[in-house]
Amino acid sequence: MPTTTDIARLIALLFVLLSTTAFADEPFQKSAAEIDRRLAEHWQHKNITPAEAASDETLLKRVSLDLIGRVPTQAEYEARLPSGKPLAERYSAIVAELLDSSEFALHQGAMLDEMLQGTAAGNAEFTDYLRRSLREGKPWDQLFRELLVGPWDTPERKPAARFLDVRAKDLDKLTTDATRVFFGVDVSCARCHDHPLVDDWKQDHYYGMASFFHRTTGGKGSIGEKTEGDVTFKGAGGTQQAARVMFLSGQIAVDPPDVDGKKPKVSRREQLVTIALGEQKFLSRALVNRLWQQYFGRGLVHPVDQIHSGNPPSVPGLLEWLAEDFVANGYDFKRLTGAIVSSRAYQLSSRWEHASTIPDEGDFAVARLQHLTPRQYAFSLLVATGRADYSPANALEQRAERLAGDSANKRITQYLAVEQQAAELLSQLDPKEDGQTSAAEALFLSNNPAVQKLFAVEANTLAAKLAGVADSKELATAAIRAVYGRAADSAEVEHLAEWINSQKTSRQRTCEQLVWVLCTAAEFRFKH
């Protein structure tokens, strides 16, 4: 008689086989199937039965938020979730469609800007450089090279120098930020002494990495590099010593031999790029881990800048394999993203309805409830309230796009227009954190005139459309469908209809308040 473990193993195997068979037509599906296989083994090893699959509406909303940064429009819900047809039959095609859309590059460029620049994010020229790079399919290793050594010889590539430019006058910040962002390692604690908590990182590592940036000059719009100059530091015992130009792995940069008694010109940053691309491991694992965190809310190694031997990945072997697969497939950002969001783990529900204790977050056996980023929330508010225009190109616009040789012109213009609208909201919304909304954000959403205007009854807004619905139950049903993209249940309809009927204000004011309530409630504020 088969045991529970045997049955769980069989189900996991069937899922992997079905995934591989049903979606084998997309290039990222082979990698997604391998993620599934490795996670199925992990769950089996820990005797975990993962959560059920998320509902179609939840999954479509989740993947839209993650790949293009907003909830679907009503037209997109209707087109992608036709009645009676499960999303699973078309999920792979929808992922491919989103990955190929102009909005993917626009949204991911903004995400990369925040990842790379941190508090210095928001420069339009740098963000647009990242967006162009993603749209062109530029691989991550090339982006890495352009950010650290250029060439910055054209108007299109010149903004790439900004990563160095905003840090060039602060060697510690440049060293620490570059090491954290590109290699997933925080060596800042090894500046004054060997790291007190992580055996891997010694002062040699901090000053070795600093040596790659020590000769960098500029910081006011022009980046250069001196040909001489070495780092010295006070080591153990207080002795002054020269730093070796050393990568995190311990590999030493070797200068070419002298020519006619003179030292040849050497770029330390070029040496860093050469070593990092040659070794591959640090660069690839850091990016894979950060993308995994972006979609799951937690990295395979957590925190994402603490990759070291004392903090192994929560799923043994998965990060290492994904990083190797990322390199083997040309550091393809889009392919890696497609593989992660096509995995079974990504498609699980955030509800844990088993009798057993909820597994550790690092097991990825249930989706993590995540606060929307300010960008996701602001864009989604504009979509849900009817303030964002994502209408398809008309015949004349399509003709103009064909003449221009770019079928995405209108959608790019629409995205940038929404981005301008969202700018007024972004700085007031809570950063992506788990937990309760802050009092500051709650007050902003409650009292700010710009926010209140979103919900006003004006031409083409959701509140205006709802105000034309006479029946209170139909109004409640339509409101939930429009904001949450799902059918309302009977209890919701009864409760909302009762509330609507009890209002003493005008129908228009009631609809404005109803849309505000739905858009500021947890179902809309979080990614489920």
Side-chain angles (χ1 to χ4, degrees), residues 260-279:
D260 297 330
K262 295 182 179 178
K263 292 186 178 297
K265 293 182 180 179
V266 173
S267 166
R268 291 291 187 225
R269 280 186 276 109
E270 180 68 48
Q271 288 179 317
L272 171 61
V273 169
T274 300
I275 291 174
L277 291 179
E279 293 200 355

Side-chain angles (χ1 to χ4, degrees), residues 54-65:
S55 69
D56 286 357
E57 293 87 353
T58 298
L59 181 57
L60 179 60
K61 181 179 174 183
R62 183 188 298 169
V63 76
S64 298
L65 284 164

